[in-house]
Amino acid sequence: MESLLDKKLKHITNLVLEKKEEFSKQKQYEEKDIQQQLEPWRVHLIQIYADSVSTNDTKNFEVLEEWGREVANLLVVLQLPLDVALEEISYYRNVIGEIIKEEAKAETFTFDAFYQVISRFNVVVDKAVHWVSKSYMTDFANKIQSARYAIDELSIPVVRITKEIGVIPLVGDLDTNRAQILMENALQHGSDYKLNWLIIDLYAVPIIDTMVADQIFKVIGALRLLGIQVVLSGIRAEIAQTMVNLGLDLADITTFSSLHQAVEYVNQAD
C-alpha cells in the first residue's frame, strides 16, 4: 500500500515533469543551433532527476549511463568542452533541488524524510557527473586516436606512377603503429592496383634501427607473397652504414641511393 510520503514524493515528481519543457529552455546559449541540440537531453536529464525523487530504482542508473554516453558524444561532435555538461547538471540540480525544498516545507517533511529524498537525489546527480565525464573522456580519446590514425595513414601513401609501378615515400620516424599502417597500405593498395613493383623510399626516414628494418623486411616478404617485387630507394650513406653494423642481409633486396635511380631500374625491368 502506498504511504503518505510516497504520495508526496510522486507529487514532487509530477510537478517537475509538468515543467520539464519549460525548464529545458531556461538556460540560454548565444548559439541557437547549440541551444536546440542541448534541449532534448536537458529534458531527458530533468526526467531522470524527477523520477529519482519518488523512486529508488536501479533502472534510473542504467538510463543515466546511457544518457551520459549520448551527451558526451554530442559534446564531442559539437566540439564543446566537458564544462558545458557539468554546468547543465549543476544548474538543474539547483532548479529541482529548490522545488524539493519548497515542497518539503509545504508538506512539513520530517528531517529524516527530507534527508532521504535529498540523499537519493544527490546520488543521481553524482552519477550524472560520473557518466558524462567518463564517456566524454573516452569519446574524446577515441576521436584523437582516429585523427592520429588518419594523419598517419595519409603520411604513408601509395603513389601509383605507372599502371604497374607504385611508390611509398616514407617521411619521419617509423614506429610500431606507422609500421602497421605501412603494411596495411602496401598490401591493400598493391593488391587493388595490381602492381608488379613497389618502391619504398627511405630518404626522409631519419633513423633505421633493428625494429624499423625488421618491419620493412616483413612488408617486403608479405608483398612478395602477393607477387609484388620491392625495391628500396633513398639509401643514404649513414643508413647503409647502420644496416651493415646491424648485420642486415640485403643480398636479395635491390637498393638504390635515389628514387630516380629506382624508378629507372623498375621501368627497364618491368
Side-chain angles (χ1 to χ4, degrees), residues 232-265:
L232 296 182
S233 68
I235 306 297
R236 308 185 305 277
E238 59 269 29
I239 289 181
Q241 185 175 0
T242 299
M243 287 184 166
V244 170
N245 291 338
L246 290 173
L248 301 177
D249 184 8
L250 301 177
D252 61 343
I253 300 175
T254 304
T255 64
F256 293 93
S257 61
S258 72
L259 179 59
H260 175 71
Q261 291 173 327
V263 172
E264 281 190 347
Y265 170 80

Side-chain angles (χ1 to χ4, degrees), residues 52 93 117-127:
S52 73
R93 176 210 288 262
V117 175
I118 287 297
S119 295
R120 190 162 61 199
F121 178 61
N122 283 334
V123 167
V124 170
V125 174
D126 291 342
K127 287 288 185 181

Side-chain angles (χ1 to χ4, degrees), residues 32-179:
K32 295 301 180 183
D33 289 344
I34 293 177
Q35 177 74 26
Q36 291 175 354
Q37 295 192 65
L38 291 181
E39 283 180 12
W41 66 259
R42 281 179 176 174
V43 171
H44 198 179
L45 176 63
I46 294 167
Q47 174 83 49
I48 296 169
Y49 277 0
D51 290 340
S52 73
V53 174
S54 57
T55 61
N56 189 20
D57 196 336
T58 55
K59 286 185 179 179
N60 284 336
F61 295 140
E62 295 173 2
V63 173
L64 193 59
E65 181 178 352
E66 178 61 29
W67 171 87
R69 284 196 291 264
E70 292 174 0
V71 174
N73 180 259
L74 178 61
L75 293 178
V76 171
V77 169
L78 295 177
Q79 297 184 346
L80 295 174
L82 178 60
D83 288 353
V84 170
L86 299 183
E87 287 175 8
E88 296 276 336
I89 291 170
S90 177
Y91 178 82
Y92 288 103
R93 176 210 288 262
N94 295 333
V95 170
I96 296 173
E98 190 65 25
I99 293 176
I100 295 173
K101 183 184 75 173
E102 294 303 319
E103 287 300 311
K105 285 181 181 178
E107 297 294 336
T108 61
F109 278 26
T110 65
F111 177 81
D112 287 344
F114 180 70
Y115 179 79
Q116 176 185 340
V117 175
I118 287 297
S119 295
R120 190 162 61 199
F121 178 61
N122 283 334
V123 167
V124 170
V125 174
D126 291 342
K127 287 288 185 181
V129 172
H130 169 77
W131 283 115
V132 169
S133 300
K134 181 178 179 180
S135 298
Y136 182 87
M137 295 309 297
T138 299
D139 285 356
F140 193 72
N142 289 341
K143 187 174 182 180
I144 290 175
Q145 183 61 35
S146 296
R148 183 180 293 120
Y149 185 87
I151 291 170
D152 284 342
E153 189 169 18
L154 288 172
S155 72
I156 307 179
V158 176
V159 182
R160 193 176 184 182
I161 58 176
T162 71
K163 184 178 179 180
E164 296 176 335
I165 301 172
V167 177
I168 298 182
L170 295 177
V171 177
D173 294 332
L174 192 66
D175 58 17
T176 304
N177 183 56
R178 295 190 74 219

